[in-house]
Amino acid sequence: MAAAAGRPPCLFCQIARGSTSTDLLYADEMVVAFRDINPSAVRHYLVIPVEHIPTVKHLQRKTEDYHLVNHMLNVGKTLLARDAPESMCSRFGFHQPPFNSIDHLHLHCLALPFIPRWRQVKYTTLGPFWGFIEAEKLLDKIRPFSKVTS
């Protein structure tokens, strides 16, 4: 996506296009995954859509959005199962505005424990509209309404 006048281009868009030296752990036509540059857990990966979507607030009850988030979650689970099989706990979710650090949708995939332990505060839900939202809860929120058949 082109940068708005006066704004630098989106870093995650550059990563998704392969325009940086970021080591990709996974890539397909929908998403890419890479290590968080400031990890909060034993393993901390980010899965981002190739298409620029600013935040979770831009997702709707559409099949495409549901499929995308579900795919992001499956990629994250597969990567953590491969790279941190000894981890007994994991957490998958998104920061909601205004707590997101970059305006490009990104799934945090964390193989716990948190390092250091106090970092768990960043990944805490602060009610239905603030803080961190677990990926499964977001999927419930954007699940398309089922079609009525006659």
Side-chain angles (χ1 to χ4, degrees):
M1 175 175 227
R7 275 197 191 154
C10 172
L11 175 60
F12 282 4
C13 285
Q14 292 175 8
I15 291 170
R17 284 193 309 265
S19 303
T20 69
S21 60
T22 302
D23 181 31
L24 298 182
L25 302 171
Y26 177 88
D28 65 23
E29 67 283 346
M30 292 176 66
V31 302
V32 299
F34 51 94
R35 289 173 185 83
D36 191 296
I37 61 168
N38 190 15
S40 295
V42 174
R43 292 279 185 280
H44 186 170
Y45 300 154
L46 300 177
V47 180
I48 65 170
V50 171
E51 176 190 349
H52 183 85
I53 300 170
T55 72
V56 295
K57 301 290 185 191
H58 293 83
L59 298 172
Q60 300 173 13
R61 285 187 177 269
K62 296 189 316 190
T63 302
E64 300 81 18
D65 288 353
Y66 183 86
H67 179 66
L68 172 66
V69 173
N70 194 55
H71 181 58
M72 292 170 74
L73 180 57
N74 288 335
V75 167
K77 285 180 176 182
T78 300
L79 289 171
L80 289 188
R82 180 192 75 191
D83 297 346
E86 71 288 348
S87 181
M88 301 302 277
C89 259
S90 54
R91 186 165 295 165
F92 301 90
F94 302 85
H95 286 107
Q96 300 180 91
F99 298 101
N100 54 312
S101 57
I102 188 164
D103 279 336
H104 188 118
L105 187 68
H106 53 285
L107 172 67
H108 289 270
C109 308
L110 302 125
L112 304 180
F114 287 103
I115 299 175
R117 189 177 171 100
W118 63 263
R119 288 248 178 126
Q120 68 187 348
V121 171
K122 286 177 61 178
Y123 304 92
T124 301
T125 301
L126 302 173
F129 306 109
W130 301 98
F132 191 74
I133 184 170
E134 298 283 338
E136 295 289 347
K137 287 191 181 186
L138 179 60
L139 284 169
D140 287 342
K141 205 171 161 181
I142 65 169
R143 185 179 318 277
F145 295 112
S146 52
K147 295 182 179 184
V148 178
T149 57
S150 50

